[in-house]
């Protein structure tokens, strides 16, 4: 029965993909995009080239992270150091740059953290891809509209509405290297006409053992890091929209093993790990003042915490950095 259900879902996605591919150019140019000018307009009216990956594309190609989605777009490529995913644009990807020159938005709200200005696009991204309606990317400098982070481009992740889920959903996945994922989601419209979306996701993977010749020793032939490439993440999203007012809570936690002995740590020590936690509260109000004039106001606050358990000579040392929401405040760190 499970195989038949999966086959049916795949067939539906394939049909949707073929239907989009068969559309004439005139209809494709009428696709609605919001990232180029910060308001909805057709792709033909947008003052920039916009790359779009839809929810049907995500299901059809089996993308599991935002990094995989972005890697499929023209002019973008992804690198990975067993800790974080990094985005390169048109050949530019500065070593040690945590995606700070690309602005990441979710429904128009900034998701770059306020410690490193980092855009988390791997398993540290706090939203499940099953909740994404489409991903838009506008290449090139967008600082005049969005600020300093939008130097190489702007990514805008547009989420689905509760009515699109049409009730409760349960999704389970399993794969190689101990990979597993469970998602529980509910989407509905209440008696007042408010659109609700509530979703929780838990994903884990054991990862494969990694070989590093630089750590080849008599005690560890081949430099084998065993069971250290694990990744465990939890994602929570609650969204309510009614009468032009939308309230959103997004929270993500990720624990990642460190098989590379980064920052001169003891190699193959299971106590080495990274922990990322990010929380965002956002409120948005939109109203149509005139047929050609609309008003949108946003208020959002976020908190990001990074914990690194670094093991040197068998003595653990912890580094912690966090930012508490404050109006106009600057980030602060402690070690």
């Amino acid at each position: 029965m499970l195989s038949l259900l999966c086959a049916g879902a795949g067939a539906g996605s394939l049909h949707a993909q073929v239907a989009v591919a068969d559309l004439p150019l005139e209809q494709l140019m009428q696709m609605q995009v919001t990232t180029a000018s910060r308001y909805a307009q057709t792709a033909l009216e947008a003052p920039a080239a916009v790359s779009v990956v839809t929810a049907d594309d995500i299901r059809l190609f089996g993308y599991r992270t935002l990094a995989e989605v972005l890697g499929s777009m023209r002019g973008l490529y992804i690198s990975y150091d067993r800790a974080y995913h990094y985005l390169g644009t048109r050949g530019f990807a500065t070593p040690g740059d945590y995606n700070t020159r690309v602005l990441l938005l979710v429904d128009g709200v900034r998701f770059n953290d306020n410690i490193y200005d980092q855009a988390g696009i791997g398993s540290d991204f706090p939203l499940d891809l099953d909740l994404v309606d489409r991903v838009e990317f506008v290449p090139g400098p967008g600082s005049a509209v969005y600020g300093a982070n939008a130097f190489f481009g702007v990514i805008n992740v547009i989420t689905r509405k509760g009515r699109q889920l049409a009730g409760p959903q349960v999704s389970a996945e399993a794969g190689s290297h101990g990979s597993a994922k469970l998602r529980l989601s509910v989407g509905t419209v209440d008696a007042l006409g408010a659109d609700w979306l509530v979703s929780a996701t838990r994903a884990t993977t054991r990862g494969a053992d990694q070989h590093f010749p630089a750590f080849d020793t008599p005690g560890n032939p081949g430099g084998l890091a065993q069971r250290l490439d694990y990744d465990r993440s939890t994602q929570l999203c609650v969204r309510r929209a009614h009468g032009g007012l939308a309230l959103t809570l997004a929270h993500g936690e990720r624990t990642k093993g460190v098989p590379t002995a980064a920052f001169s740590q003891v190699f193959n020590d299971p106590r080495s790990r990274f922990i990322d936690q990010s929380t965002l509260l956002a409120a948005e109000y939109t109203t149509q003042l005139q047929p050609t004039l609309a008003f949108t106001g946003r208020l959002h606050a976020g908190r990001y915490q990074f914990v690194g358990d670094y093991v040197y000579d068998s003595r653990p040392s912890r580094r912690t950095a966090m930012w508490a929401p404050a109006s106009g405040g600057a980030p602060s760190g402690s070690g």
Side-chain angles (χ1 to χ4, degrees):
M1 182 180 295
L2 180 60
S3 300
L4 291 175
L5 289 175
C6 291
S13 299
L14 180 60
H15 180 269
Q17 178 71 11
V18 172
V20 172
D22 290 340
L23 291 176
L25 179 62
E26 291 76 9
Q27 287 185 254
L28 290 175
M29 295 304 293
Q30 296 303 313
M31 178 182 292
Q32 291 285 321
V33 296
T34 61
T35 310
S37 301
R38 303 188 75 168
Y39 60 86
Q41 59 187 162
T42 66
L44 183 62
E45 297 172 332
V50 183
S51 297
V52 181
V53 174
T54 65
D56 290 331
D57 299 326
I58 293 173
R59 287 192 294 269
L60 178 64
F61 294 103
Y63 299 137
R64 289 296 176 265
T65 64
L66 180 59
E68 294 181 359
V69 173
L70 297 175
S72 70
M73 293 183 174
R74 182 180 64 249
L76 300 181
Y77 63 95
I78 302 298
S79 58
Y80 179 51
D81 64 356
R82 299 291 166 186
Y84 296 95
H85 289 80
Y86 307 98
L87 181 65
T89 58
R90 303 183 306 281
F92 292 96
T94 305
D97 178 17
Y98 297 113
N99 302 327
T100 61
R101 292 170 174 80
V102 177
L103 179 63
L104 175 61
L105 306 173
V106 175
D107 292 326
V109 177
R110 170 192 168 99
F111 257 59
N112 293 66
D113 71 67
N114 220 14
I115 297 293
Y116 311 103
D117 268 345
Q118 177 176 350
I121 59 176
S123 56
D124 51 331
F125 181 62
L127 285 179
D128 192 322
L129 277 189
D130 290 341
L131 305 181
V132 173
D133 183 64
R134 67 184 186 276
V135 179
E136 301 177 359
F137 175 73
V138 179
S143 301
V145 178
Y146 287 102
N149 282 114
F151 187 77
F152 285 150
V154 180
I155 304 164
N156 195 9
V157 179
I158 311 298
T159 60
R160 303 173 69 185
K161 294 179 172 57
R163 59 174 58 92
Q164 292 178 269
L165 269 66
Q169 288 186 357
V170 178
S171 173
E173 301 175 8
S176 58
H177 303 301
S179 299
K181 175 182 171 183
L182 177 64
R183 176 178 62 88
L184 305 175
S185 303
V186 177
T188 186
V189 177
D190 63 21
L192 299 177
D195 185 280
W196 283 89
L197 173 62
V198 180
S199 180
T201 302
R202 176 65 175 176
T204 64
T205 180
R206 182 184 66 248
D209 294 343
Q210 303 295 322
H211 290 268
F212 299 96
F215 295 103
D216 186 358
T217 63
N220 190 346
L224 180 63
Q226 298 176 301
R227 305 178 68 90
L228 294 184
D229 198 24
Y230 62 85
D231 193 317
R232 304 162 188 157
S233 62
T234 302
Q235 300 162 323
L236 173 66
C237 179
V238 180
R239 191 171 191 270
R240 181 184 186 273
H242 179 61
L245 177 64
L247 304 175
T248 303
L249 165 65
H251 177 76
E253 300 180 9
R254 195 270 301 249
T255 301
K256 181 67 181 67
V258 187
T260 59
F263 308 115
S264 302
Q265 299 178 61
V266 175
F267 181 70
N268 201 28
D269 192 309
R271 293 173 295 175
S272 297
R273 62 178 183 171
F274 295 140
I275 302 175
D276 299 275
Q277 295 183 2
S278 58
T279 304
L280 179 81
L281 291 169
E284 176 181 312
Y285 180 73
T286 302
T287 184
Q288 193 73 31
L289 302 178
Q290 295 181 5
T292 58
L293 180 63
F295 170 81
T296 299
R298 294 188 180 97
L299 178 65
H300 59 93
R303 180 180 185 271
Y304 171 79
Q305 176 174 321
F306 167 83
V307 176
D309 285 330
Y310 303 150
V311 180
Y312 301 106
D313 297 328
S314 300
R315 293 190 299 271
S317 173
R318 172 166 293 197
R319 299 289 183 267
T320 304
M322 67 179 67
W323 174 72
S327 178
S332 61
S334 62

